[in-house]
Amino acid sequence: MSEQRAFELESPGSFDDVLHGVVQWPEGPGPHPAVVICHGFKGFYEWGFFPPLADLLTDRGFVVVRFNYSGSGMRPGDERVTDLDAFRRNTLSLERDETLKVLDSVHILAQGRAAADGLTLLGHSRGGAAAILAAAHPEWRGRLRALVTWAALSSFDRYTTPDARAAWRRDGVIPIVNGRTGQELELGIELLEDVEQHAASLDLGAAAEAIEAPWLIVHGAADETVPPSEAHTLDRRASSLHELQIVKGGSHTFGAQHPFAGPTRELIRAMNGTQIWLRRHTR
């Protein structure tokens, strides 16, 4: 049986935001290798496949840290965005920096059960992009033992048409709808300005080339949100030891939904490939 506890961390952003999360660890005193899991856009650490993925990895001997980006606007137990302001002003640079903050905090969060040389990252969708940026960051480039991305973006140059961007600048926000809940949300101009003003530091292709950790790139062949071509782009740009796994029939979430209704064949393939990769490179 694994144990777990909730935690809060102060965000490194300019507002008094908090990162909410949970850390769980396997039986035994350790130290154990650790995995930090990063959720994607409109996601949260309790969404769909994240709890069973954490359980699987804990069963395989990993300390697992899951958390909500402050810009998710969600707290533990939330099913809808409750902090609309935090969601509105979220940026990609902030998600990268919050990922780095969690990495820096793993040993404290795990109460000494995490191995000092066994840290790994796993991210889904935009969380995969944040994981790529964090893995390429000078502070962590030579320290991560492994990286896994699921359905990760290869570029942030995807935010609407030129006309929509002009309206975004004019209005200061752009409306979006959460397809899962129907909740109407807004993205603030801070996101667009972040993409435009920090293009170099948010260059996922350049980050892919800088990563040193062994990297597993997992993508669904039927991904309707992030095309599989983006996985092939990351595969071409990656310079470290890496492997591309295209999951036949896999959607953006490998068939999983929220609430979680059990694993699909495609999710099982993604989860099995992930735990094998992580065990191979942390033992």
Side-chain angles (χ1 to χ4, degrees):
M1 293 289 294
S2 65
E3 300 179 57
Q4 69 177 48
R5 71 176 184 88
F7 67 83
E8 294 182 1
L9 286 175
E10 183 180 349
S11 170
S14 57
F15 295 87
D16 294 328
D17 291 324
V18 173
L19 307 179
H20 298 272
V22 63
V23 56
Q24 62 190 85
W25 49 78
E27 291 183 334
H32 308 281
V35 185
V36 172
I37 296 179
C38 309
H39 69 75
F41 182 53
K42 293 184 287 186
F44 50 104
Y45 78 76
E46 296 169 294
W47 186 91
F49 55 54
F50 290 118
L53 174 60
D55 289 341
L56 171 68
L57 294 174
T58 305
D59 288 344
R60 297 299 183 267
F62 290 90
V63 170
V64 180
V65 178
R66 293 176 282 141
F67 69 101
N68 285 347
Y69 288 111
S70 65
S72 72
M74 300 184 68
R75 296 178 176 84
D78 285 347
E79 288 293 329
R80 294 164 59 90
V81 176
T82 53
D83 191 338
L84 298 175
D85 287 338
F87 185 91
R88 185 182 299 114
R89 54 180 154 77
N90 191 29
T91 67
L92 304 167
S93 294
L94 179 59
E95 290 187 352
R96 175 203 58 210
D97 293 346
E98 290 183 341
T99 304
L100 294 169
K101 175 66 177 281
V102 175
L103 281 172
D104 287 336
S105 305
V106 165
H107 295 296
I108 295 174
L109 297 175
Q111 301 179 347
R113 294 173 175 85
D117 62 347
L119 289 180
T120 64
L121 262 177
L122 190 162
H124 173 251
S125 192
R126 203 166 91 176
I132 291 169
L133 294 175
H137 194 275
E139 292 183 9
W140 280 95
R141 186 180 302 154
R143 297 167 60 190
L144 286 180
R145 291 290 297 276
L147 170 67
V148 178
T149 55
W150 286 12
L153 316 182
S154 66
S155 169
F156 292 124
D157 186 20
R158 64 199 318 111
Y159 289 99
T160 72
T161 64
D163 288 345
R165 289 190 186 207
W168 194 350
R169 292 188 184 90
R170 182 193 67 229
D171 300 335
V173 296
I174 187 170
I176 63 166
V177 175
N178 186 324
R180 178 179 63 86
T181 64
Q183 186 178 15
E184 295 182 358
L185 302 166
E186 293 177 332
L187 299 177
I189 193 63
E190 294 90 344
L191 178 60
L192 181 59
E193 291 175 343
D194 186 43
V195 172
E196 294 179 338
Q197 295 173 13
H198 303 111
S201 62
L202 295 175
D203 186 335
L204 291 170
E209 293 174 352
I211 288 171
E212 297 179 7
W215 180 8
L216 177 65
I217 303 166
V218 184
H219 215 102
D223 191 331
E224 70 287 359
T225 303
V226 180
S229 59
E230 301 207 32
H232 290 284
T233 297
L234 294 173
D235 179 48
R236 289 193 300 270
R237 298 294 296 270
S239 58
S240 66
L241 172 68
H242 64 282
E243 181 178 318
L244 173 62
Q245 291 187 2
I246 299 295
V247 178
K248 183 179 179 180
S251 67
H252 189 59
T253 60
F254 304 97
Q257 297 178 339
H258 184 84
F260 190 65
T264 63
R265 178 177 55 189
E266 295 79 15
L267 181 60
I268 290 171
R269 287 191 59 192
M271 294 173 78
N272 283 343
T274 293
Q275 60 99 2
I276 290 170
W277 186 264
L278 292 176
R279 292 176 70 191
R280 178 185 303 164
H281 294 287
T282 55
R283 294 295 190 265

